[in-house]
Each structure stands twice: as structure tokens, then as C-alpha cells.
mmCIF file of all heavy atoms in Angstrom:
data_model
loop_
_atom_site.group_PDB
_atom_site.id
_atom_site.type_symbol
_atom_site.label_atom_id
_atom_site.label_comp_id
_atom_site.label_asym_id
_atom_site.label_seq_id
_atom_site.Cartn_x
_atom_site.Cartn_y
_atom_site.Cartn_z
ATOM 1 N N ALA A 1 0.848 -1.150 -0.026
ATOM 2 C CA ALA A 1 0.010 0.005 0.016
ATOM 3 C C ALA A 1 0.910 1.231 -0.008
ATOM 4 O O ALA A 1 2.039 1.201 0.468
ATOM 5 C CB ALA A 1 -0.889 0.003 1.235
ATOM 6 N N MET A 2 0.404 2.331 -0.544
ATOM 7 C CA MET A 2 1.171 3.565 -0.614
ATOM 8 C C MET A 2 0.381 4.663 0.035
ATOM 9 O O MET A 2 -0.836 4.774 -0.012
ATOM 10 C CB MET A 2 1.479 3.961 -2.086
ATOM 11 C CG MET A 2 2.273 2.887 -2.842
ATOM 12 S SD MET A 2 3.970 2.805 -2.234
ATOM 13 C CE MET A 2 4.591 4.457 -2.566
ATOM 14 N N GLY A 3 1.152 5.599 0.663
ATOM 15 C CA GLY A 3 0.550 6.734 1.281
ATOM 16 C C GLY A 3 1.306 7.997 1.016
ATOM 17 O O GLY A 3 2.490 7.971 0.687
ATOM 18 N N TRP A 4 0.601 9.131 1.042
ATOM 19 C CA TRP A 4 1.188 10.461 0.941
ATOM 20 C C TRP A 4 0.929 11.209 2.242
ATOM 21 O O TRP A 4 -0.203 11.187 2.777
ATOM 22 C CB TRP A 4 0.642 11.284 -0.221
ATOM 23 C CG TRP A 4 1.153 10.871 -1.563
ATOM 24 C CD1 TRP A 4 0.589 9.997 -2.409
ATOM 25 C CD2 TRP A 4 2.377 11.286 -2.159
ATOM 26 N NE1 TRP A 4 1.364 9.913 -3.584
ATOM 27 C CE2 TRP A 4 2.491 10.699 -3.443
ATOM 28 C CE3 TRP A 4 3.434 12.145 -1.752
ATOM 29 C CZ2 TRP A 4 3.571 10.904 -4.295
ATOM 30 C CZ3 TRP A 4 4.495 12.348 -2.621
ATOM 31 C CH2 TRP A 4 4.564 11.709 -3.869
ATOM 32 N N PHE A 5 1.933 11.874 2.734
ATOM 33 C CA PHE A 5 1.896 12.601 4.011
ATOM 34 C C PHE A 5 2.548 13.972 3.780
ATOM 35 O O PHE A 5 3.231 14.152 2.798
ATOM 36 C CB PHE A 5 2.567 11.833 5.093
ATOM 37 C CG PHE A 5 2.031 10.468 5.353
ATOM 38 C CD1 PHE A 5 2.418 9.411 4.541
ATOM 39 C CD2 PHE A 5 1.092 10.245 6.300
ATOM 40 C CE1 PHE A 5 1.907 8.126 4.763
ATOM 41 C CE2 PHE A 5 0.502 9.001 6.500
ATOM 42 C CZ PHE A 5 0.907 7.932 5.719
ATOM 43 N N ARG A 6 2.228 14.883 4.667
ATOM 44 C CA ARG A 6 2.892 16.204 4.577
ATOM 45 C C ARG A 6 3.226 16.736 5.959
ATOM 46 O O ARG A 6 2.567 16.390 6.913
ATOM 47 C CB ARG A 6 2.055 17.191 3.774
ATOM 48 C CG ARG A 6 0.733 17.540 4.465
ATOM 49 C CD ARG A 6 -0.168 18.367 3.498
ATOM 50 N NE ARG A 6 -1.387 18.788 4.119
ATOM 51 C CZ ARG A 6 -2.346 19.444 3.490
ATOM 52 N NH1 ARG A 6 -2.224 19.724 2.177
ATOM 53 N NH2 ARG A 6 -3.434 19.826 4.151
ATOM 54 N N GLN A 7 4.220 17.572 5.973
ATOM 55 C CA GLN A 7 4.641 18.217 7.248
ATOM 56 C C GLN A 7 4.958 19.671 6.965
ATOM 57 O O GLN A 7 5.926 19.987 6.267
ATOM 58 C CB GLN A 7 5.862 17.486 7.831
ATOM 59 C CG GLN A 7 6.243 18.009 9.201
ATOM 60 C CD GLN A 7 7.240 17.111 9.883
ATOM 61 O OE1 GLN A 7 7.888 16.291 9.268
ATOM 62 N NE2 GLN A 7 7.343 17.259 11.197
ATOM 63 N N ALA A 8 4.144 20.542 7.507
ATOM 64 C CA ALA A 8 4.379 21.975 7.380
ATOM 65 C C ALA A 8 5.395 22.375 8.490
ATOM 66 O O ALA A 8 5.517 21.749 9.530
ATOM 67 C CB ALA A 8 3.093 22.767 7.566
ATOM 68 N N ALA A 9 6.091 23.509 8.235
ATOM 69 C CA ALA A 9 7.057 24.007 9.187
ATOM 70 C C ALA A 9 6.398 24.226 10.590
ATOM 71 O O ALA A 9 5.396 24.888 10.713
ATOM 72 C CB ALA A 9 7.636 25.292 8.698
ATOM 73 N N GLY A 10 7.033 23.624 11.588
ATOM 74 C CA GLY A 10 6.546 23.772 12.911
ATOM 75 C C GLY A 10 5.387 22.807 13.297
ATOM 76 O O GLY A 10 4.944 22.794 14.447
ATOM 77 N N ASN A 11 4.902 22.046 12.357
ATOM 78 C CA ASN A 11 3.812 21.147 12.585
ATOM 79 C C ASN A 11 4.192 19.690 12.589
ATOM 80 O O ASN A 11 5.325 19.341 12.100
ATOM 81 C CB ASN A 11 2.681 21.379 11.567
ATOM 82 C CG ASN A 11 1.984 22.681 11.718
ATOM 83 O OD1 ASN A 11 2.288 23.472 12.597
ATOM 84 N ND2 ASN A 11 1.071 22.967 10.750
ATOM 85 N N GLU A 12 3.335 18.797 13.047
ATOM 86 C CA GLU A 12 3.569 17.381 12.973
ATOM 87 C C GLU A 12 3.185 16.871 11.575
ATOM 88 O O GLU A 12 2.390 17.494 10.867
ATOM 89 C CB GLU A 12 2.745 16.660 14.017
ATOM 90 C CG GLU A 12 3.156 16.967 15.482
ATOM 91 C CD GLU A 12 2.352 16.165 16.483
ATOM 92 O OE1 GLU A 12 1.471 15.380 16.095
ATOM 93 O OE2 GLU A 12 2.669 16.271 17.690
ATOM 94 N N ARG A 13 3.739 15.738 11.281
ATOM 95 C CA ARG A 13 3.404 15.096 10.030
ATOM 96 C C ARG A 13 1.921 14.686 9.992
ATOM 97 O O ARG A 13 1.422 14.178 11.025
ATOM 98 C CB ARG A 13 4.284 13.854 9.831
ATOM 99 C CG ARG A 13 4.038 13.047 8.582
ATOM 100 C CD ARG A 13 4.978 11.878 8.487
ATOM 101 N NE ARG A 13 4.954 11.058 9.691
ATOM 102 C CZ ARG A 13 5.775 10.107 9.983
ATOM 103 N NH1 ARG A 13 6.776 9.833 9.170
ATOM 104 N NH2 ARG A 13 5.658 9.421 11.118
ATOM 105 N N GLU A 14 1.228 14.937 8.893
ATOM 106 C CA GLU A 14 -0.176 14.583 8.807
ATOM 107 C C GLU A 14 -0.438 13.755 7.563
ATOM 108 O O GLU A 14 0.200 13.821 6.533
ATOM 109 C CB GLU A 14 -1.035 15.781 8.807
ATOM 110 C CG GLU A 14 -0.894 16.715 7.615
ATOM 111 C CD GLU A 14 -1.864 17.845 7.594
ATOM 112 O OE1 GLU A 14 -2.810 17.861 8.435
ATOM 113 O OE2 GLU A 14 -1.701 18.747 6.770
ATOM 114 N N PHE A 15 -1.492 12.922 7.703
ATOM 115 C CA PHE A 15 -1.872 12.062 6.580
ATOM 116 C C PHE A 15 -2.580 12.911 5.469
ATOM 117 O O PHE A 15 -3.342 13.808 5.763
ATOM 118 C CB PHE A 15 -2.913 11.073 7.154
ATOM 119 C CG PHE A 15 -3.635 10.274 6.062
ATOM 120 C CD1 PHE A 15 -3.049 9.220 5.419
ATOM 121 C CD2 PHE A 15 -4.937 10.623 5.718
ATOM 122 C CE1 PHE A 15 -3.716 8.542 4.445
ATOM 123 C CE2 PHE A 15 -5.620 9.939 4.748
ATOM 124 C CZ PHE A 15 -5.006 8.892 4.120
ATOM 125 N N VAL A 16 -2.330 12.526 4.237
ATOM 126 C CA VAL A 16 -2.936 13.179 3.087
ATOM 127 C C VAL A 16 -3.852 12.211 2.322
ATOM 128 O O VAL A 16 -5.007 12.479 2.114
ATOM 129 C CB VAL A 16 -1.879 13.758 2.128
ATOM 130 C CG1 VAL A 16 -2.535 14.349 0.887
ATOM 131 C CG2 VAL A 16 -1.072 14.875 2.862
ATOM 132 N N ALA A 17 -3.289 11.048 1.929
ATOM 133 C CA ALA A 17 -4.053 10.104 1.084
ATOM 134 C C ALA A 17 -3.300 8.782 1.096
ATOM 135 O O ALA A 17 -2.136 8.685 1.305
ATOM 136 C CB ALA A 17 -4.202 10.633 -0.330
ATOM 137 N N ASP A 18 -4.082 7.721 0.865
ATOM 138 C CA ASP A 18 -3.459 6.401 0.703
ATOM 139 C C ASP A 18 -4.205 5.579 -0.354
ATOM 140 O O ASP A 18 -5.322 5.946 -0.759
ATOM 141 C CB ASP A 18 -3.309 5.627 2.007
ATOM 142 C CG ASP A 18 -4.642 5.369 2.748
ATOM 143 O OD1 ASP A 18 -5.680 5.207 2.033
ATOM 144 O OD2 ASP A 18 -4.610 5.316 3.997
ATOM 145 N N ILE A 19 -3.584 4.537 -0.788
ATOM 146 C CA ILE A 19 -4.109 3.666 -1.846
ATOM 147 C C ILE A 19 -3.619 2.235 -1.622
ATOM 148 O O ILE A 19 -2.498 2.021 -1.210
ATOM 149 C CB ILE A 19 -3.670 4.230 -3.257
ATOM 150 C CG1 ILE A 19 -4.346 3.451 -4.395
ATOM 151 C CG2 ILE A 19 -2.157 4.139 -3.392
ATOM 152 C CD1 ILE A 19 -4.207 4.126 -5.742
ATOM 153 N N ASN A 20 -4.491 1.297 -1.880
ATOM 154 C CA ASN A 20 -4.153 -0.092 -1.576
ATOM 155 C C ASN A 20 -3.268 -0.644 -2.725
ATOM 156 O O ASN A 20 -2.981 -0.029 -3.711
ATOM 157 C CB ASN A 20 -5.403 -0.936 -1.378
ATOM 158 C CG ASN A 20 -6.139 -1.222 -2.649
ATOM 159 O OD1 ASN A 20 -6.117 -0.450 -3.589
ATOM 160 N ND2 ASN A 20 -6.831 -2.388 -2.642
ATOM 161 N N TRP A 21 -2.871 -1.912 -2.537
ATOM 162 C CA TRP A 21 -1.925 -2.518 -3.478
ATOM 163 C C TRP A 21 -2.377 -2.592 -4.923
ATOM 164 O O TRP A 21 -1.585 -2.489 -5.853
ATOM 165 C CB TRP A 21 -1.488 -3.922 -2.980
ATOM 166 C CG TRP A 21 -2.631 -4.893 -3.092
ATOM 167 C CD1 TRP A 21 -3.581 -5.176 -2.118
ATOM 168 C CD2 TRP A 21 -2.945 -5.750 -4.209
ATOM 169 N NE1 TRP A 21 -4.471 -6.145 -2.547
ATOM 170 C CE2 TRP A 21 -4.064 -6.507 -3.873
ATOM 171 C CE3 TRP A 21 -2.386 -5.937 -5.465
ATOM 172 C CZ2 TRP A 21 -4.656 -7.447 -4.690
ATOM 173 C CZ3 TRP A 21 -2.975 -6.845 -6.346
ATOM 174 C CH2 TRP A 21 -4.049 -7.609 -5.972
ATOM 175 N N SER A 22 -3.678 -2.760 -5.130
ATOM 176 C CA SER A 22 -4.240 -2.866 -6.463
ATOM 177 C C SER A 22 -4.668 -1.570 -7.087
ATOM 178 O O SER A 22 -4.858 -1.488 -8.272
ATOM 179 C CB SER A 22 -5.423 -3.812 -6.456
ATOM 180 O OG SER A 22 -6.570 -3.228 -5.749
ATOM 181 N N GLY A 23 -4.722 -0.542 -6.265
ATOM 182 C CA GLY A 23 -5.196 0.779 -6.731
ATOM 183 C C GLY A 23 -6.675 0.922 -6.720
ATOM 184 O O GLY A 23 -7.186 1.969 -7.187
ATOM 185 N N GLY A 24 -7.422 -0.092 -6.214
ATOM 186 C CA GLY A 24 -8.882 -0.015 -6.279
ATOM 187 C C GLY A 24 -9.525 0.712 -5.104
ATOM 188 O O GLY A 24 -10.727 0.969 -5.165
ATOM 189 N N THR A 25 -8.760 0.992 -4.043
ATOM 190 C CA THR A 25 -9.282 1.657 -2.886
ATOM 191 C C THR A 25 -8.433 2.793 -2.523
ATOM 192 O O THR A 25 -7.218 2.675 -2.351
ATOM 193 C CB THR A 25 -9.415 0.681 -1.682
ATOM 194 O OG1 THR A 25 -10.176 -0.454 -2.085
ATOM 195 C CG2 THR A 25 -10.047 1.331 -0.488
ATOM 196 N N THR A 26 -9.060 3.991 -2.328
ATOM 197 C CA THR A 26 -8.326 5.189 -1.925
ATOM 198 C C THR A 26 -9.027 5.836 -0.704
ATOM 199 O O THR A 26 -10.210 5.635 -0.475
ATOM 200 C CB THR A 26 -8.217 6.192 -3.064
ATOM 201 O OG1 THR A 26 -9.543 6.536 -3.512
ATOM 202 C CG2 THR A 26 -7.462 5.626 -4.218
#
């Protein structure tokens, strides 16, 4: 599975989006 995350300056890392192994679920 793959995920995207982001971290703004001074902030904690936060979840953005994820996708399963086949690409069928986001």
C-alpha cells in the first residue's frame, strides 16, 4: 500500500491520502 503525507514547518506530520496494493481503494 502507498501513502502520501505532509509536514508543514513547525507542525507534525499529517496524513494526506493512501491507496491499496491494487489501486482499487483510496
Side-chain angles (χ1 to χ4, degrees):
M2 299 292 297
W4 284 96
F5 303 83
R6 66 188 183 186
Q7 185 168 18
N11 291 358
E12 295 184 356
R13 179 179 54 190
E14 66 175 349
F15 168 80
V16 175
D18 59 31
I19 187 168
N20 75 332
W21 68 270
S22 69
T25 303
T26 58

